[in-house]
Amino acid sequence: MAGPDNGSMRVRFAPSPTGALHIGGARTALYNWLLARKEGGAFVLRIEDTDRDRSTPENVEQILDALRWLELDIDEGPISQAERAPRHREQIDRLLADGHAYEDEGAVRLRVPGEGETVVEDVIRGQVSFPHASIDDFVIARSDGSALYNLAVAVDDLDMGITHVIRGADHLSNTPRQAMVLKALGASPPVYAHLPLLHGTDHKKLSKRHGAASVQELREAGYLPEAVRNYIALLGWGLDASTTFMTTEQLIEGFSLDRVSKSPATFEEQKLRWMNGRYMRELAPSELADRLEALLGRDGLEDAAAVAQEKLQTLADFWPLAGFLVERQPIDEGAWKKVMGEGARERLEAVRDALASLDSFDQESIESALRGLVDRFGVKPKEVFQPLRVAIAGSTISPGIFESVVALGREETLGRVDDALARLASPA
Ligand code: GLU
């Protein structure tokens, strides 16, 4: 394996496969990946799977799947930490032989000097000192011979030639121990960068309570990977004080650790929704349709996608808003009661006749015919449009009514209006 001195940057993402890939983990992966791409370095994936109960193949697959969806391609790996147990043991034996470690009731402990301190140079936090007085000789191997976490991480980072360790701030307290293991092995520490914690909008540590908390959930909620990448890049970093929308190429070019903040970043799903909406509007309609078809597992959504595009913030917004353009939806009874009151039948009949007698069923003709009815009845536009909307969409929420009618076509529109009229004629 390449050593850290060959000049090129080598970074790693080292998740423990405990289930879904959380937003914090995705950000760590993204920052590592951006730097590797910017510097022409290597992005290594190491699976920290020494907890055999939790590290199931399904959990590992979830991480790989989330990284694929985010399009963070891996240069090396996945490397299993568990499979490296013999190598960890070898280094434990070497530390014992060199006198840096000693046995204690079957376990092995690393000798920590009684005085002085270990200073961690952190690109984001500056120098962080850990006085040795507060660090005991710590266990690096259990009495069954297996390595402990800090030993395994240090040995793996060294063997894999990792030049920069970029990870969540929750690992800062492990860092002096890992640096001491490296020193005892005669190696110099990598560059460390501990990323800010993530909070929800209530300033508490990010968790499920704050909405979609994992990459998988964001995907199911209908976010686009390019929008997620852009948004999570901004959780603790910014190109400058104002730039929000950045392509992946711009992120790669602009990203740097020295603009990563120390203070916690706030995950705001509302902001992600808003950003996602803009990414959605910029997709070519055929591309939007492809993404919708993949998410919903059905074909033939292009026309409906084009009509709904302006109003969608996520892919998941599509079906409740525009599913009626694809197939008839059940009538929302609350909406029906609200708009099908006094006079609705007469207005809807007039709408039916107007639409049936149009020479050309295009948006302009439909709009002028329906607006003509508004004038004829002397009512507010919604008195004419809402009964039509509920008749064709089943609810009072839809894309623009004229576009919707065009997209549905004359026959289908009239069929649904007739059914609504029949129901108005014989109330249940
Ligand atoms: N496996 C650790 C985690 O999932 C990360 C360890 C590291 O990056 O050094 O939190």
Side-chain angles (χ1 to χ4, degrees):
M1 277 181 241
D5 296 324
N6 67 359
S8 72
M9 177 181 274
R10 292 177 58 81
V11 295
R12 88 300 197 271
F13 176 49
S16 310
T18 52
L21 179 61
H22 289 270
I23 288 163
R27 181 194 59 180
T28 300
L30 176 66
Y31 284 10
N32 276 285
W33 181 86
L34 288 173
L35 270 186
R37 292 295 165 267
K38 177 177 181 171
E39 304 294 335
F43 177 59
V44 181
L45 178 64
R46 180 171 77 226
I47 304 289
E48 305 215 311
D49 52 356
T50 49
D51 180 345
R52 298 313 279 161
D53 292 338
R54 302 180 78 184
S55 303
T56 60
E58 294 74 36
N59 283 350
V60 173
E61 188 46 44
Q62 286 225 35
I63 290 172
L64 295 176
D65 192 47
L67 293 176
R68 273 194 296 267
W69 184 74
L70 288 169
E71 290 173 22
L72 305 182
D73 56 311
I74 300 153
D75 300 311
E76 290 171 33
I79 297 165
S80 155
Q81 185 163 64
E83 283 173 20
R84 291 178 40 79
R87 173 62 178 162
H88 300 147
R89 189 61 229 179
E90 216 172 272
Q91 294 292 55
I92 290 162
D93 291 339
R94 188 177 136 201
L95 291 169
L96 280 168
D98 291 350
H100 289 299
Y102 61 91
E103 280 188 78
D104 176 22
E105 295 188 27
V108 179
R109 289 182 184 273
L110 193 86
R111 273 184 222 287
V112 176
E115 291 169 8
E117 57 186 14
T118 289
V119 177
V120 170
E121 299 277 353
D122 186 289
V123 193
I124 298 166
R125 280 144 218 278
Q127 292 191 339
V128 190
S129 306
F130 296 88
H132 292 154
S134 60
I135 304 179
D136 292 335
D137 290 353
F138 57 94
V139 176
I140 55 174
R142 301 179 186 88
S143 51
D144 66 5
S146 62
L148 266 95
Y149 175 71
N150 284 319
L151 182 286
V153 170
V155 169
D156 289 353
D157 285 342
L158 178 59
D159 284 354
M160 292 166 197
I162 299 305
T163 59
H164 293 65
V165 167
I166 302 159
R167 60 187 173 194
D170 44 333
H171 286 285
L172 187 59
S173 60
N174 288 323
T175 308
R177 290 175 181 78
Q178 293 170 17
M180 280 183 224
V181 170
L182 289 170
K183 191 171 172 205
L185 290 170
S188 33
V191 174
Y192 289 107
H194 286 92
L195 307 176
L197 294 174
L198 290 186
H199 284 174
T201 44
D202 57 1
H203 305 297
K204 302 221 169 82
K205 193 173 174 317
L206 194 62
S207 74
K208 272 219 174 287
R209 283 178 296 117
H210 301 101
S214 70
V215 172
Q216 282 79 359
E217 286 167 327
L218 292 176
R219 178 184 188 167
E220 280 158 24
Y223 293 102
L224 304 177
E226 57 269 46
V228 172
R229 254 186 340 252
N230 189 161
Y231 179 67
I232 64 179
L234 302 177
L235 293 176
W237 172 84
L239 182 67
D240 49 41
S242 61
T243 306
T244 302
F245 289 94
M246 297 178 77
T247 64
T248 299
E249 290 67 36
Q250 290 168 328
L251 288 173
I252 291 171
E253 194 180 324
F255 187 79
S256 70
L257 287 174
D258 45 81
R259 288 199 55 86
V260 175
S261 145
K262 275 198 278 254
S263 29
T266 306
F267 175 76
E268 285 177 75
E269 195 166 346
Q270 282 311 317
K271 178 154 188 204
L272 171 59
R273 273 190 76 83
W274 167 77
M275 284 180 70
N276 201 74
R278 171 145 158 201
Y279 274 89
M280 299 268 293
R281 286 191 293 283
E282 282 175 1
L283 292 177
S286 62
E287 175 65 24
L288 175 60
D290 286 348
R291 308 245 194 153
L292 288 167
E293 288 166 8
L295 185 80
L296 299 170
R298 60 191 306 158
D299 288 336
L301 301 182
E302 188 153 351
D303 291 349
V307 173
Q309 184 159 20
E310 283 299 307
K311 294 207 166 181
L312 303 179
Q313 282 192 317
T314 70
L315 296 172
D317 288 347
F318 171 77
W319 193 259
L321 182 77
F324 76 96
L325 294 173
V326 184
E327 63 190 32
R328 220 183 242 244
Q329 300 299 310
I331 304 265
D332 169 347
E333 295 301 333
W336 178 277
K337 271 211 190 73
K338 205 163 123 204
V339 309
M340 295 301 194
E342 184 77 37
R345 186 173 158 198
E346 196 193 345
R347 278 176 264 125
L348 196 55
E349 267 166 359
V351 166
R352 196 221 178 271
D353 293 345
L355 294 178
S357 61
L358 281 178
D359 288 333
S360 150
F361 207 71
D362 58 58
Q363 191 171 324
E364 213 178 305
S365 316
I366 291 165
E367 174 161 2
S368 101
L370 295 183
R371 291 202 188 280
L373 292 179
V374 170
D375 292 343
R376 203 179 94 199
F377 284 104
V379 293
K380 291 190 185 134
K382 69 170 188 199
E383 304 286 331
V384 170
F385 301 162
Q386 290 296 67
L388 172 60
R389 202 186 295 269
V390 170
I392 64 170
S395 89
T396 51
I397 299 154
S398 81
I401 187 70
F402 314 122
E403 293 159 88
S404 296
V405 168
V406 178
L408 213 50
R410 175 151 25 202
E411 198 184 329
E412 185 64 27
T413 302
L414 293 181
R416 294 187 193 182
V417 169
D418 282 341
D419 288 349
L421 285 170
R423 186 175 160 178
L424 284 169
S426 57

